[in-house]
Amino acid sequence: MFKYDDFSAWADSVFKNEFPDDTVAICFNLYQESEQDTYSVQIVGARVFDEEDWACDETFSSENNLYIWKEKGGWEKALKAAKKNVEKYVNEGANSETLKAYDGVGIGFVDGDIEIIYRREE
């Protein structure tokens, strides 16, 4: 089960790092781990932000520092749980202002589509 308090503490630890100046967007990459019903989140910074596969142009990655959780019900349920908690973090977390200073924040499985959680107004 995806636990917001554990996730936010993990995300806070990642955001203690300085991201490179050319970072314009943040993506929460999701992975389905080899162990059944196990998923993980990785945070990456990206140098571009558009409607395509922008998160591949990385400036920063939490690499093997992942938030890992168990979720029964398949990848769709895991995505829904992760998205709900990341949205809460973007709106209420300790790094909300930091995240909202970027052009955009997204979430998605690394082999799938990216859903935009936040887009900065110009």
Side-chain angles (χ1 to χ4, degrees):
M1 173 184 260
F2 200 112
K3 297 179 180 175
Y4 178 77
D5 290 340
D6 293 343
F7 167 75
S8 64
W10 169 78
D12 289 348
S13 73
V14 172
F15 285 108
K16 284 182 182 174
N17 298 299
E18 283 195 37
F19 284 39
D21 290 340
D22 58 344
T23 303
V24 300
I26 301 294
C27 188
F28 290 81
N29 285 338
L30 303 179
Y31 296 89
Q32 186 168 6
E33 299 292 326
S34 57
E35 187 177 328
Q36 186 173 357
D37 300 326
T38 304
Y39 300 88
S40 62
V41 179
Q42 172 191 60
I43 298 174
V44 298
R47 139 179 326 105
V48 295
F49 178 68
D50 58 33
E51 296 302 318
E52 298 301 318
D53 200 17
W54 53 270
C56 290
D57 196 4
E58 292 181 11
T59 61
F60 172 88
S61 172
S62 65
E63 297 185 6
N64 292 327
N65 179 5
L66 307 169
Y67 174 73
I68 299 171
W69 83 101
K70 297 253 186 205
E71 191 78 48
K72 293 185 185 229
W75 69 267
E76 293 99 341
K77 189 172 179 188
L79 174 60
K80 185 177 179 180
K83 184 177 177 185
K84 175 184 158 192
N85 285 283
V86 170
E87 284 175 335
K88 182 176 180 178
Y89 187 76
V90 169
N91 290 311
E92 302 173 16
N95 290 287
S96 177
E97 287 184 32
T98 300
L99 286 164
K100 290 180 177 180
Y102 291 107
D103 291 347
V105 178
I107 187 171
F109 280 94
V110 291
D111 56 355
D113 295 333
I114 301 172
E115 295 185 36
I116 305 302
I117 290 176
Y118 171 80
R119 182 184 313 270
R120 185 173 59 171
E121 299 295 322
E122 297 196 18

